[in-house]
Amino acid sequence: MSDSSPLTLHNSYEGTVESLAFGGEGITRINQFVVFIPHAIPGDVVQFRVTEIKKSFGRAVVEKILKPAATRVEPPCPIYYDCGGCQLQEMGYQAALEEKSKILEGLLSHQLHLPKVPMAPPLPSPIPYAYRNKMQLAVRKTSTTPLALGLYQPSSHVIVDMPTCPIQQEANNTLIPVLREGMKTLGWSAYDEKSHAGLIRHFLARTNQMGETYLVIIATELVLPQWETFLSLVQKASPKLQGLALNVNGDKTNRVLGKATKVLWGKNFLQESIGSYLFAFGPTDFFQTNSFILARLIDQVLEWGHPTSDASVLDVYCGVGTFTIPLAKKAKHVIGIEENADAIFWAKENSRKNEVQNTEFHVGKAEEILPTLQSDVFSLVFLDPPRKGLTPNALKELVRLNPPKILYLSCNPPTLVRDLQVLLKAGWNLTHVLAADLFPQTAHIEALALLEKA
């Protein structure tokens, strides 16, 4: 027990879980001292063992569920408690959705000091399982096995061998056994993180709502022996395979993808239909992982952004044009900014595919392109940045552009809050915000915020 904590390390206690923390851990209190407990959900009465004590909080693990919450369900995944991919499978979907919305509201209220957060109802995923169109599998040699293929345990580099994944679409799951068997048949060696030896580091599989697939092999070398034989094995399991590519990453790094990708067979893209829109993207390009909710999210952006036929719109971090093109269908002119030149190639192609002629694209970092644009021109700026959010210079330039409306789609609420602090001080008001559940069964929260000039 520390001076400020009522807890003793490794001792067991009982408590009722009151809420979820950002990250998905349950929160309970012992004499008002906060304890975070993974896999404990609001309403659970649990017996827990303390594993860590800090100055203002403790961490613990569940020893026994004394009384389950009314919303507790049995996780369908056999490796759920070992794998780090999901955090909320033991919680009914509607309850988890509402908790995510509460977490976002609490974060905004506390950090932005708002008396009332203008929360809209959360945006649910049409399906809570089998929604992921992207599967990234680590391939490793370990001290216990010559081939482990799966995901990492939470906060570790220990691979959990994965037979199947309930949040992956069926077409991706079909590939898992053939990837494993193909490596064994061809004698391809798995990457060893300690020695940095071995040929295959990761597999990246993409699929669409038509069940078509694309496979990227991430290897340490440019030459992949017998890839034609491997292709034949994959085609038998996945007859709708559209392409096979090799990405080379020979660096001593945790980064998954290397810089060079070459198509070994088939097309150089996968295509997805979202409502009335058609999007093509390269095998390693970013595309929203949950295609099923994307049409709803696009509709929400159009509703809140409300671009009119005389409007000029700016889409920063536009990717392959996922939001640029729907915005262009409504607006007079839309400019897209994206650092990835390959993504811009597909954004232009997607404009053509969707018969959109009022888009303009610029390759470069936001903080480099924004200073070249005139202020007081854009009626709406749409932002969809990476997890790190906007850079200080990008924020500075955004303020200079002075748009009446800013729509900010964030995959990382803490950086959203940081950026909103700047924008609120600069004269915008937060008028609407919601949690969009792009990643059911996980603690991940996507947030959409509308800011309007005071």
Side-chain angles (χ1 to χ4, degrees):
M1 182 185 296
S2 69
D3 293 340
S4 59
S5 168
L7 305 178
T8 300
L9 195 64
H10 305 309
N11 275 17
S12 297
Y13 300 85
E14 294 180 8
T16 300
V17 180
E18 59 188 50
S19 61
L20 284 185
F22 181 75
E25 295 174 310
I27 297 176
T28 190
R29 299 174 193 267
I30 300 296
N31 296 337
Q32 299 305 309
F33 190 79
V34 172
V35 185
F36 296 104
I37 314 172
H39 302 302
I41 67 172
D44 277 344
V45 180
V46 298
Q47 177 181 307
F48 59 90
R49 177 173 53 82
V50 177
T51 58
E52 184 180 5
I53 301 175
K54 297 291 187 180
K55 185 176 180 180
S56 58
F57 66 89
R59 296 193 183 279
V61 294
V62 173
E63 288 187 316
K64 186 185 297 184
I65 304 291
L66 301 175
K67 183 181 179 182
T71 57
R72 176 170 280 275
V73 296
E74 187 66 25
C77 179
I79 60 171
Y80 170 64
Y81 291 106
D82 295 320
C83 175
C86 295
Q87 298 80 37
L88 300 177
Q89 282 192 22
E90 63 267 282
M91 195 173 190
Y93 181 64
Q94 186 60 37
L97 180 67
E98 292 170 1
E99 281 295 323
K100 289 184 179 185
S101 187
K102 290 178 185 176
I103 290 168
L104 179 60
E105 182 178 11
L107 186 64
L108 293 169
S109 176
H110 178 70
Q111 297 293 333
L112 298 179
H113 308 292
L114 297 175
K116 182 173 176 57
V117 180
M119 293 294 297
L123 197 65
S125 175
I127 54 174
Y129 283 97
Y131 63 85
R132 283 190 65 94
N133 59 34
K134 177 182 177 182
M135 179 175 68
Q136 190 170 284
L137 299 176
V139 181
R140 293 292 181 268
K141 176 184 178 182
T142 69
S143 58
T144 57
T145 177
L147 175 60
L149 195 152
L151 301 180
Y152 293 107
Q153 288 182 357
S155 304
S156 81
H157 277 253
V158 178
I159 293 288
V160 179
D161 211 35
M162 190 171 78
T164 187
C165 177
I167 65 172
Q168 285 290 342
Q169 291 187 43
E170 182 182 357
N172 281 341
N173 275 323
T174 301
L175 289 170
I176 297 175
V178 75
L179 298 178
R180 185 179 283 109
E181 193 58 37
M183 285 197 60
K184 292 177 180 177
T185 300
L186 299 180
W188 287 355
S189 56
Y191 184 69
D192 186 327
E193 284 189 314
K194 292 183 178 180
S195 66
H196 300 289
L199 179 62
I200 307 299
R201 296 180 72 135
H202 288 85
F203 288 111
L204 172 61
R206 317 287 292 264
T207 189
N208 59 24
Q209 295 178 82
M210 289 80 76
E212 296 171 337
T213 56
Y214 203 108
L215 181 64
V216 182
I217 304 169
I218 296 100
T220 55
E221 299 176 13
L222 281 165
V223 178
L224 195 61
Q226 295 182 279
W227 66 262
E228 295 95 339
T229 303
F230 185 79
L231 171 63
S232 297
L233 294 171
V234 173
Q235 285 176 312
K236 289 178 183 177
S238 183
K240 292 185 178 181
L241 184 72
Q242 300 296 294
L244 177 68
L246 171 65
N247 177 272
V248 181
N249 183 359
D251 297 338
K252 296 179 180 179
T253 176
N254 292 332
R255 190 180 67 250
V256 174
L257 291 171
K259 295 179 181 179
T261 301
K262 69 174 181 178
V263 176
L264 298 176
W265 171 87
K267 300 176 182 178
N268 64 341
F269 67 93
L270 189 65
Q271 197 160 263
E272 179 67 292
S273 295
I274 304 295
S276 61
Y277 309 107
L278 192 62
F279 299 105
F281 49 93
T284 61
D285 289 333
F286 173 79
F287 191 76
Q288 295 288 355
T289 306
N290 186 341
S291 298
F292 300 95
I293 195 177
L294 191 48
R296 294 182 179 185
L297 187 58
I298 289 171
D299 287 345
Q300 193 69 61
V301 166
L302 294 177
E303 179 186 333
W304 284 4
H306 193 60
T308 55
S309 58
D310 61 346
S312 291
V313 177
L314 179 62
D315 182 0
V316 190
Y317 313 99
C318 69
V320 299
T322 311
F323 294 95
T324 322
I325 288 162
L327 287 165
K329 292 276 190 177
K330 302 288 186 180
K332 180 180 180 181
H333 186 64
V334 182
I335 294 177
I337 299 174
E338 170 59 49
E339 185 178 356
N340 185 329
D342 289 337
I344 287 293
F345 170 84
W346 290 112
K348 292 177 180 178
E349 281 293 299
N350 290 331
S351 291
R352 182 185 59 78
K353 287 174 182 289
N354 289 277
E355 299 180 339
V356 167
Q357 297 178 335
N358 57 337
T359 55
E360 174 186 337
F361 295 100
H362 297 267
V363 179
K365 295 181 179 180
E367 56 269 27
E368 295 171 350
I369 303 297
L370 291 176
T372 68
L373 303 176
Q374 290 185 3
S375 60
D376 301 305
V377 169
F378 302 102
S379 58
L380 170 66
V381 174
F382 177 73
L383 307 167
D384 186 10
R387 288 185 59 82
K388 62 184 179 181
L390 275 69
T391 65
N393 284 340
L395 269 173
K396 178 183 176 182
E397 289 300 319
L398 177 60
V399 171
R400 181 189 63 80
L401 290 177
N402 197 37
K405 284 185 178 182
I406 298 172
L407 259 178
Y408 193 136
L409 181 62
S410 170
C411 60
N412 189 22
T415 56
L416 169 67
V417 168
R418 181 202 66 200
D419 293 346
L420 289 184
Q421 287 172 336
V422 175
L423 296 172
L424 294 183
K425 287 180 181 178
W428 282 270
N429 291 325
L430 180 62
T431 55
H432 295 290
V433 63
L434 61 74
D437 199 16
L438 271 69
F439 299 91
Q441 315 310 325
T442 79
H444 183 98
I445 301 172
E446 197 94 2
L448 180 65
L450 173 63
L451 298 103
E452 298 184 84
K453 204 66 190 280

